Amino acid sequence: MSRLSRRAVLAGGAALAARPAFGVALPPVTTSSRIEALLGRMTVTEKAGQLTLMASAIGGRAATALNPPGTGPSAEAQLSAAREGQLTGIFNGEGSAWHRRLQQAAVQSRLGIPLIFAADVIHGFRTIFPVPLGEAASFDPDLARRTARAAAVEASAAGIDWTFAPMVDIARDARWGRAVEGSGEDVLLGRLFAATRVAGFQGRDLAAPDALAACAKHFAAYGAAEAGLDYNSVDVSERTLRQVYFPPFEAAFGAGAPTVMAAFNELSGIPATANHWLLTDVLRGEWNFRGLVVSDYTADEELIAHGYARDGRDAARLAFLAGVDMCMQSGLYRDHLPALVEAGAVPMARLDKAVRRVLVLKAAVGLLDDPFRRLAPGREKRFVGLPAHRALAREAAQRSIVLLKNEGGLLPLRPGQRIALIGPFAAGPHDLIGPWNVYGDDREAIDLATGLGAGVTVAPGSGVETVLPGGIPAAVAAARAADVAVLAIGESQVMSGEAQSRTEITVPAPQLELVRAVAATGKPMVIVLSTGRALALDDTVLAARAIVVGWFLGSESGNAMADVLRGRVAPSGRLPVSFPIESGQVPYHYDHKPTGRPASNGAPVAYKARYRTVPNAARFAFGHGLTYGDITYGPIILDPVLAWDGKIEVSAVITNRGHRAATEVAQLYVRPHSASVTQPVRRLIAFQRLDVPAGGTATAAFTIRRQDLAFVGVDKRAVTEPGAYDIWVAPSAEAGAPATLLLGAPA
Ligand code: NOJ
């Protein structure tokens, strides 16, 4: 097709449709007039107070450890700030009793505006579900809705109104520690999990006592930090922002998220927290977002370190005028907005807009009607740690486990087999719930030794990053006396999460020593990996006959892993991130571009895009994961011509020749043969979880319409172009052979 005719299609192609308003529904007229009446009575100082969010003076156990330590106010100082209308709310506070005290203080303030209680409820409150990256491995977005719902029920019972979740940053660089908090490298997974998590947190009615308002974070492209270094600069094209990093935010807003957190990073020269184009032109102008923008922790003040603001006053002005409504933790708005308004540097109308957004949020979560909405005594005891939540934690953990290899059907373990359980993650109340928990406690979680139960000999063998004196001989002796060695190795939970970037995404050396020593016994080895990111597994690990990825599975870690290892439950998870061959390949993501000199994965050919030592491919591809069945895909069946306004069915028959039922995740990928903007080698456009009975078949069937083939075009708008496309129905991003589909031109 010629450039000319393609441009003609572009001109007629899909411009972004006019959008419905995103964010909170407008309050009813009565609430609106209450809000306007309040605004009319507020002093400028009180208005600045409504924009000032602070870390709780009491509690959150880990909360303070999870952010840079500050001097922090005393409880008394925080109570008086509430009484004086100098505080809009707190975050990561401990327990409803403390929240109640604060709320009582706030309702005694001159205007009696209630506080809002926020917290980082990322993947559970007291009952902890798998880390979000692990949960994404379920390829079951509805599971995330259910776990977010349970988290909301527990957190709201402790008085929390607002969660700083979901984290919807696409993470294509496994060095970046915060990959653990999101849904991985793929845009479709990112969008689907963003939307279901929002729906789960918020429930049917944001004002319900068991609802949490969601906050999509971190806007935007925080995951694109250069060299995977947390907080580092981001320089990505506007097209990539729109194609890759924005869609999960749009999905979160589409699902009703009323708030968004601006990111720490700079974005192509302008820090996100002071980025007017991002926070106002795109977010409000284009997307019609009507909710609230909150800064990240002291991110406005950090504009000074970025070299963007001169001082605190300048930082407050820049962040506020760019579009950050509420300031977290720095206190800069409280300290400088009144004077900035007075000096005419910040218009009163802008101040009123921000305060109005805060009040609308407070109204939406029911606080204006009842400041004690989520603070009824007794609720905390009743709803926190419910047995049904524990059961859900086990189910979610089971579904998050990914079986990478299983030579000779070593798994599931056979009844009566003597097991040596070896490694730093074999036993003990540590490294179970993951790095980002304010209210969870490893001591309330089940470790693998407990999950596996009787008949297991435990030998730690090694520290996580250090040698354990005498560890290896004891582990070798245990392996010798057993039929099978299960090695629980990998990363500890402090090795991923915020500020935990790694240069080598490998299993630490002392643990590899341990694996080598156990391998030398000749006993069959199962490796169970704890990790918060994709890992590059070296030959020592790959020599094991079976490898299972366990991420950090939460409260029911050991039980769920034992369910899979013992075969009570079949593994069904799939990798939401590519596991590269070597660390030096990162950022490696399956949806990379082909380059002008793509290399085939056969024998190396000179002057092609490959490394000296390894091809441009994953060791374990995005989407990969085995079952206890024996799965094969039949050829793709499709009607090869898709009319411009039509739809077609694409299917493949999946056969299970094994003796156990399996859950297969069939994935639909696409790539145009040519396009006006280069496209990835594959892009996931749909997937399906299918039950395939032992010795039986199931059909994966998808419908494709032209919109499914859309991408962000030359003019940075969504377009679809007629022409030929490769289509895969495959078990992973690097498996299967494509069929060709022809998209016809518009009539
Ligand atoms: C900093 C993190 O970037 C953000 O995700 C979190 O919500 C805040 N700290 C508050 O704890």
Side-chain angles (χ1 to χ4, degrees), residues 39-52:
L39 258 174
R41 293 174 60 204
M42 286 168 89
T43 63
V44 176
T45 316
E46 282 165 337
K47 289 178 185 174
Q50 280 307 307
L51 308 180
T52 300

Side-chain angles (χ1 to χ4, degrees), residues 550-645:
W551 319 106
F552 299 105
L553 292 174
S555 302
E556 287 288 318
S557 287
N559 283 337
M561 185 54 80
D563 290 338
V564 167
L565 296 181
R566 292 211 184 269
R568 290 188 290 265
V569 166
S572 64
R574 296 293 183 273
L575 290 180
V577 277
S578 310
F579 276 40
I581 304 169
E582 291 181 2
S583 294
Q585 287 175 272
V586 296
Y588 181 86
H589 49 98
Y590 83 91
D591 51 348
H592 60 79
K593 298 290 186 72
T595 81
R597 293 184 176 187
S600 74
N601 285 335
V605 176
Y607 301 104
K608 295 288 186 188
R610 59 164 286 136
Y611 296 92
R612 285 174 61 83
T613 47
V614 297
N616 188 23
R619 171 76 71 198
F620 295 107
F622 170 88
H624 171 74
L626 302 175
T627 69
Y628 289 154
D630 176 6
I631 298 291
T632 48
Y633 279 60
I636 298 170
I637 305 160
L638 86 170
D639 177 354
V641 180
L642 170 61
W644 184 250
D645 285 319

Side-chain angles (χ1 to χ4, degrees), residues 67 91-92 120 164 178 181 217-218 222 261 264 296-297 328 436 498:
N67 284 296
F91 63 96
N92 291 342
D120 288 286
F164 297 145
R178 299 198 78 171
E181 291 176 51
K217 69 186 189 184
H218 308 82
Y222 182 34
M261 188 184 292
F264 282 132
D296 202 341
Y297 191 100
M328 187 199 298
W436 208 175
E498 186 173 343

Side-chain angles (χ1 to χ4, degrees), residues 21-96:
F22 277 153
V24 263
L26 282 185
V29 180
T30 44
T31 316
S32 270
S33 41
R34 267 175 76 194
I35 289 173
E36 293 312 312
L38 275 173
L39 258 174
R41 293 174 60 204
M42 286 168 89
T43 63
V44 176
T45 316
E46 282 165 337
K47 289 178 185 174
Q50 280 307 307
L51 308 180
T52 300
L53 183 71
M54 288 292 184
S56 171
I58 297 184
R61 291 195 285 254
T64 35
L66 293 165
N67 284 296
T71 40
S74 65
E76 278 319 311
Q78 202 149 65
L79 285 163
S80 64
R83 236 174 264 120
E84 285 154 22
Q86 280 301 284
L87 194 62
T88 198
I90 58 152
F91 63 96
N92 291 342
E94 179 75 61
S96 58

